[in-house]
Structures are given as C-alpha cells and as structure tokens.
Amino acid sequence: MTQKEIVVLLLLVVLCGVVAAASPQFLSGANIQNVARLVGTYGIFSIGVGIVIMTGGIDLSVGSICALLGVLLSMMLVEWGWSAGVALVAVIALGAGLGAVHGLLISRMRLQPFIVTLCGLLIYRGVARWYTDDATAGFPFGASFPTLEWLTAGRLFGIPHSLIAFLLVTLIMGVVLHRSVFGRYLFAVGKNEEAARYSGIRTSRIIIAAYVICCGLTAVAAIFIAMYTRSISPSSHGNFYELYAIAAAVLGGCSLRGGEGSILGVVLGTILLQVLQNLVNLLGIPSSLNFAVMGSVILIGVLADQQFSRTRFGGAVRVG
C-alpha cells in the first residue's frame, strides 16, 4: 500500500469508529447491507471515472449516462419486449459506444475532456427527457423479471450482488491497471502524453480505451440502479453521480493532473465517502448538506494532493 492509501485506510477506520459511537444503528445488519449495496453500485462507476482521471482526463457525463441508459433499459424490457439478456448486452454496448465517442473526440479531434463530457452531460439527459416527454420511466406494477431482479437486487449469503459485482470489477481492473502493459501505458499517458507518444505508445488508443472502460462500467452501474429503484425520472435520476465518482477517486489518491492513482485507492475512497453519507443520514443532518460534504471532500483531496506533491518535490531538490 502507498502512503496515501494507508492514510485513507486509517481515516476510514477512525470514521467508522466515530459513526458507530455516534449512532449504534450504524452496526445494524440492515444498515450495513444498505451501505454495502451503495458502495458496490457507486464503486463500479467510480473505478471507471478514476481510470479516466489517471489519464489526465475527466468525465462529467456519468450521471446523465445513468439516466439515459436507465430509461432505455426500461423501454427495452417493458415496451419493446426484449429479453433480459439482449437488453443487458445492448445497454452495456451502448455505454461503451458513448465512451468510444468521447475518446475519439478527445484523442483525435484534440478537444478538452471537460468540454466533451460536459456536452455529454447535457445531451444525454436532454435526450432522456425528450424521449420520455419528461415523464418518469420504469417498471409498472406487476412487471416482473425474476432472473434480472435477482442478479441486480438480490443477495448471496447476505451480500448484495452489487457489492459482489464491484469486487469482481475491482479484481479485474486491478490486474489490468497494475499488472499489464496497458496499465503502464495508461500511467505514462497521464504523466506526460507527448513524451509517451514519442516513446512509441499509441496514446490515442489508450485514451479511447480509458473512456470506453469508464462508460462501460457506468452502464453496468446504471443497470443495478435502474433495477433497484424501478423508477427513472430523467430530470433527476443520476444527478451529481459524477461528483461522487470524482470525490471518491480524488479522496483515494488519484491526482487530477493525471498519472497517479490506484484501484485500491478508489475503493477506499468510495467506502469512505459512503460512510460519510451514512453518517449524515444517521445523525439527521439535512440531506441538502450532502453536496457540501462532496465539495469539502474534493477540496480537501486536492489540497492534500498538492501538499504531497510539493513535499515530494522539495525532498527531491534537497537530496540533489
């Protein structure tokens, strides 16, 4: 574990102790299962956003993608009569396709990631609202998809399937990022894209792949969220999800400058963030302060990253 990850882990342990002392309900089985479900769901797309941040990019369209794909999933299953398997494949493929479009615009057209994904945020939510005529989409009373519902909202030995999926994604992406050539190339692109290009790395492919992974994982999370809520309001569904993901990644040690971060750090950041949210709920703090918590977490993470970088740079100068 890196120094940043150890600090986040210690902070998480201390926070869990504080929450447990402040509210005994924190350790109840129902609350732990609820936190585990949220960690799994939010963690899946947070890992995707973390990978994009490691390339020096950003993705602001996560919440709008969840809204659009949630609407389309309900349409596929309820109105179009598609089978669950076909609908799942179509949603994930569409998510990956949107990621490929983002990556192409950023790497080939040389557009800024902020602009590309901000446009995506507006376009995808706008399409979802237009397609539903701004009405709530979802699954009417009596509509049942037993296998899909068990896969997304069920539990195995008391463990929510969303958390199991998150753990699988964590293992796979951990190997891809930290034990493969692709991972080394991705960090190289994040550190210095021009230098990586001169080193023979096909930087465009790495950037496109990062956004495909991000939006593909977002599509997976969108399926879990839609099947759990069973109701998708296109004007509000997924609002501020991108902030949760960015906060989790930054809190876990990902640098917004790119080239730094780890899957374990994103996992710890996600858990810490959800424990904070749970603390807000258990103590009866107004939910409107959730956004203040998010903003504070991002600010503290950026300040800590900046201070860490200055300390490391200053140490290198002194040694020289």
Side-chain angles (χ1 to χ4, degrees):
M1 294 179 70
T2 65
Q3 182 179 353
K4 287 183 179 181
E5 292 165 354
I6 293 173
V7 171
V8 176
L9 179 59
L10 292 176
L11 183 59
L12 176 61
V13 171
V14 171
L15 181 62
C16 286
V18 170
V19 178
S23 176
Q25 187 182 352
F26 175 72
L27 296 177
S28 67
N31 187 65
I32 289 176
Q33 282 196 345
N34 183 56
V35 172
R37 179 186 62 80
L38 291 172
V39 166
T41 304
Y42 284 80
I44 291 173
F45 63 75
S46 294
I47 286 179
V49 172
I51 288 173
V52 164
I53 289 175
M54 291 174 203
T55 68
I58 199 75
D59 196 330
L60 302 177
S61 64
V62 168
S64 295
I65 289 177
C66 284
L68 177 60
L69 296 183
V71 166
L72 291 177
L73 178 64
S74 67
M75 295 294 180
M76 291 174 187
L77 294 174
V78 177
E79 295 190 9
W80 303 346
W82 292 15
S83 67
V86 173
L88 292 182
V89 171
V91 167
I92 295 173
L94 182 56
L98 294 176
V101 172
H102 294 176
L104 286 168
L105 291 173
I106 292 165
S107 63
R108 299 293 172 84
M109 302 297 293
R110 313 307 299 173
L111 299 180
Q112 291 294 321
F114 182 90
I115 297 300
V116 171
T117 57
L118 176 62
C119 291
L121 178 153
L122 299 172
I123 292 170
Y124 305 144
R125 190 169 297 280
V127 170
R129 296 182 67 173
W130 167 79
Y131 190 80
T132 60
D133 199 20
D134 224 6
T136 299
F139 305 93
F141 181 77
S144 179
F145 309 93
T147 302
L148 182 57
E149 289 169 358
W150 180 82
L151 284 173
T152 54
R155 294 182 175 86
L156 183 64
F157 302 112
I159 304 174
H161 286 173
S162 62
L163 181 63
I164 295 175
F166 174 49
L167 294 176
L168 290 175
V169 169
T170 298
L171 291 174
I172 294 171
M173 296 314 303
V175 171
V176 169
L177 192 63
H178 303 295
R179 294 290 186 271
S180 73
V181 174
F182 171 80
R184 292 196 295 271
Y185 286 176
L186 186 142
F187 282 115
V189 170
K191 281 288 186 183
N192 191 321
E193 183 181 347
E194 187 175 357
R197 186 183 302 111
Y198 283 126
S199 299
I201 298 174
R202 296 182 175 179
T203 56
S204 293
R205 292 188 179 184
I206 299 299
I207 292 172
I208 292 170
Y211 281 92
V212 167
I213 291 171
C214 177
C215 294
L217 291 179
T218 299
V220 174
I223 294 169
F224 279 98
I225 296 167
M227 293 305 299
Y228 183 81
T229 61
R230 299 186 68 84
S231 177
I232 301 96
S233 175
S235 62
S236 60
H237 188 83
N239 271 352
F240 299 104
Y241 279 10
E242 53 278 347
L243 295 187
Y244 283 95
I246 294 170
V250 171
L251 192 60
C254 292
S255 172
L256 292 175
R257 294 184 301 272
E260 296 180 19
S262 69
I263 297 300
L264 178 58
V266 177
V267 171
L268 293 174
T270 301
I271 298 173
L272 181 59
L273 207 55
Q274 288 305 322
V275 172
L276 277 172
Q277 292 297 304
N278 194 236
L279 173 64
V280 170
N281 294 332
L282 291 178
L283 296 185
I285 299 173
S287 59
S288 55
L289 285 177
N290 283 351
F291 303 125
V293 172
M294 294 299 101
S296 300
V297 166
I298 294 175
L299 179 60
I300 291 171
V302 171
L303 289 174
D305 174 65
Q306 199 170 39
Q307 185 61 38
F308 181 80
S309 298
R310 286 176 178 173
T311 302
R312 183 173 54 184
F313 180 75
V317 172
R318 287 192 294 271
V319 171

